[in-house]
Amino acid sequence: MEETIKQLPFVKGLEGIAVAISSISHIDGKAGRLIYRGFPVEDLAQNSSFEEVVFLLWRERLPSSKELEEFKERLKEERELSQELIEILKLLPQTSHPMDVLRTAVSAMGIFHRKCNGKGFSLLDDAISILSRIPTVLATFHMLRSGKSPIPPSKKLDHASNFLYMMNGEPPEMDVAKIFDAILILHAEQEMNASTFAATVTASTLSDIYSAITSAIGTLKGPIHGGASEKVMEVLDSIEDLSKVEEFVERKISAGEKIMGFGHRIYKTYDPRAVVLKSMAKKLVKSEDGKKRLETAMKLEEAVVSRLGSKGIYPNVDFYSGILYSELGIPKDFFTAIFAMARCAGWAAHIMEYTESNRIFRPRAIYEGPKDLNYMEEKKKVG
Ligand SMILES: CC(C)(COP(=O)(O)OP(=O)(O)OC[C@H]1O[C@@H](n2cnc3c(N)ncnc32)[C@H](O)[C@@H]1OP(=O)(O)O)[C@@H](O)C(=O)NCCC(=O)NCCS
């Protein structure tokens, strides 16, 4: 008897379908609310630290001060890259996109830094190994392609400050470090988005965490997922002055094109992360280029919301983030990689949670092609 596959539920893009039961984070798309293990993300961005949030996501509770210090130490111990990994980074063309570099490096880490192979190691050990090394990979590549010697990680600095130190050659001021730390917190987790799903699917085959995070990085790279922040900067820099903003919006809408940095599958109002990032940009931005971008962005937000707000189109997390990254001296092509550096926390949390009560993902596809073709007859027809 033929399977009645046409009767299976089919939802394009899995919109509105739950694929896991989770206690990691929750989005209320109507209210514009995001919580990590019960805590509003704005509260964490203001009062917590990236390391504490990672502990919260991975260990399901806040750490005591002693536990947090020990956790920070463990992260610091795993920052260095093996010589083999550095050699791989040296071999990559300087023109490589940082997301391609990161995808390659995490894959290589699975060979040179993998712990789960050995006795007594857990998924958590490998999650620490990846999360701690991603900033070093990115900063090492940044230095190499600038013709400079990579700066080794500092054991004195926390995760956020250490990255800026390895990128810029000097430790950041405290207020700058706090802003970057908050940016990492805001990007750390976001329920079952495309890259988290990719990581979870890979992990569900009981493959290793390096493979799962490599899948996630490849998925985050796309311009309608994490790659949007880079595209937003291109848009902001292409608009000559404020008088051209409305014309730009009308042109995009009439051409049926998406405006980068706006819209979300779940948020149908302001993305709470975009609200925080905007207020941080207002505080941080001092450069003339930055001020011009911020003014253009705010005007663009006004124009898009007034035209498309009724359809639930509002700024998302990628809209204001690039303005902040640029102000911190981070090159445009690194924006998505910074996102990955933070989101690694959420990916690993979902991998650990899902595999705890694992079931391999194996959906179906509704077949619409021909059936019962005869190979010899068809071969004759094609000659
Ligand atoms: C994020 C995104 C992929 C969500 O897509 P989705 O849930 O599949 O939504 P759809 O693409 O089905 O869009 C629904 C409607 O809103 C419109 N829309 C969605 N995002 C839009 C945008 N950025 N600009 C203009 N219109 C947009 C669509 O044209 C569509 O309109 P229609 O119903 O008249 O055809 C989409 O909003 C997008 O591509 N945004 C731009 C890229 C971006 O910033 N990505 C980062 C996300 S954090």
Side-chain angles (χ1 to χ4, degrees):
M1 194 177 69
E2 171 140 47
E3 278 182 296
T4 52
I5 197 160
K6 282 211 162 154
Q7 288 164 19
L8 287 176
F10 165 57
V11 181
K12 203 169 177 189
L14 295 183
E15 184 166 0
I17 304 281
V19 296
I21 293 178
S22 175
S23 60
I24 302 171
S25 69
H26 175 67
I27 305 168
D28 181 340
K30 275 196 192 143
R33 198 161 178 260
L34 169 64
I35 51 171
Y36 296 171
R37 297 214 183 268
F39 298 99
V41 74
E42 302 90 330
D43 192 4
L44 294 171
Q46 198 180 342
N47 300 309
S48 183
S49 66
F50 180 66
E51 287 91 334
E52 188 177 47
V53 167
V54 176
F55 187 107
L56 172 72
L57 293 172
W58 290 357
R59 305 280 306 276
E60 307 177 32
R61 61 177 175 82
L62 286 174
S64 67
S65 315
K66 184 167 172 280
E67 284 173 324
L68 181 58
E69 282 319 304
E70 283 167 6
F71 186 61
K72 283 184 174 179
E73 285 310 306
R74 279 199 69 192
L75 293 176
K76 284 178 185 168
E77 276 160 23
E78 296 283 339
R79 285 178 179 165
E80 301 238 351
L81 306 183
S82 65
Q83 195 51 42
E84 291 89 343
L85 197 47
I86 295 173
E87 292 306 319
I88 290 173
L89 294 176
K90 282 184 184 166
L91 280 174
L92 300 176
Q94 293 186 352
T95 50
S96 306
H97 191 281
M99 281 299 274
D100 293 333
V101 171
L102 189 59
R103 192 193 56 228
T104 305
V106 172
S107 180
M109 273 184 218
I111 294 168
F112 298 113
H113 289 287
R114 189 161 162 193
K115 297 193 184 304
C116 261
N117 284 339
K119 264 192 171 170
F121 289 109
S122 65
L123 258 181
L124 186 77
D125 294 310
D126 276 319
I128 289 175
S129 163
I130 301 172
L131 185 108
S132 294
R133 286 190 172 88
I134 287 180
T136 321
V137 164
L138 294 176
T140 300
F141 178 68
H142 172 64
M143 285 306 193
L144 289 172
R145 79 172 186 181
S146 317
K148 297 181 190 156
S149 298
I151 298 174
S154 159
K155 285 208 168 164
K156 289 192 188 128
L157 299 171
D158 66 19
H159 198 77
S161 301
N162 176 56
F163 173 68
L164 294 177
Y165 161 67
M166 291 190 295
M167 287 290 283
N168 299 328
E170 52 189 47
E173 299 291 328
M174 260 187 40
D175 57 336
V176 169
K178 173 63 205 147
I179 285 187
F180 189 58
D181 189 76
I183 293 175
L184 296 182
I185 293 174
L186 293 170
H187 285 82
E189 162 58 11
Q190 175 77 337
E191 207 218 52
M192 195 50 76
N193 54 82
S195 55
T196 304
F197 185 47
T200 311
V201 169
T202 304
S204 83
T205 68
L206 300 186
S207 180
D208 64 287
I209 187 171
Y210 295 88
S211 302
I213 293 200
T214 302
S215 302
I217 294 169
T219 309
L220 184 73
K221 187 184 159 192
I224 61 171
H225 193 7
S229 56
E230 223 178 295
K231 301 286 170 204
V232 170
M233 287 299 278
E234 284 164 20
V235 166
L236 296 180
D237 288 341
S238 73
I239 299 176
E240 292 153 37
D241 62 73
L242 296 184
S243 68
K244 302 276 191 312
V245 169
E246 286 188 8
E247 191 187 310
F248 168 82
V249 173
E250 288 310 322
R251 207 171 53 241
K252 288 296 231 185
I253 294 174
S254 349
E257 287 171 10
K258 301 258 176 77
I259 304 165
M260 289 292 145
F262 289 90
H264 198 276
R265 176 63 65 78
I266 315 290
Y267 296 113
K268 296 302 169 199
T269 180
Y270 280 95
D271 177 334
R273 303 164 301 168
V275 175
V276 180
L277 289 167
K278 180 180 175 181
S279 78
M280 288 189 339
K282 282 184 183 168
K283 274 189 219 144
L284 182 78
V285 167
K286 302 269 177 344
S287 73
E288 285 312 309
D289 280 352
K291 282 187 202 158
K292 181 177 174 285
R293 283 181 190 128
L294 183 58
E295 260 181 15
T296 311
M298 291 196 295
K299 181 86 184 160
L300 187 57
E301 175 190 328
E302 201 184 293
V304 173
V305 171
S306 87
R307 280 292 269 108
L308 299 173
S310 56
K311 276 173 85 174
I313 310 293
Y314 288 85
N316 59 47
V317 70
D318 290 317
F319 190 59
Y320 285 102
S321 58
I323 297 175
L324 285 158
Y325 296 148
S326 286
E327 203 66 17
L328 295 169
I330 296 167
K332 190 171 75 186
D333 60 353
F334 269 73
F335 294 177
T336 316
I338 306 296
F339 193 156
M341 179 174 143
R343 184 56 59 82
C344 177
W347 292 331
H350 282 272
I351 292 166
M352 290 187 256
E353 182 184 70
Y354 189 85
T355 52
E356 191 67 28
S357 55
N358 192 59
R359 186 133 204 254
I360 189 168
F361 279 102
R362 199 342 179 162
R364 297 297 307 264
I366 294 172
Y367 181 69
E368 288 189 332
K371 288 178 181 167
D372 306 323
L373 289 179
N374 180 295
Y375 175 76
M376 292 309 284
E377 281 171 17
E378 294 303 315
K379 268 305 265 187
K380 254 189 244 160
K381 279 190 214 161
V382 295

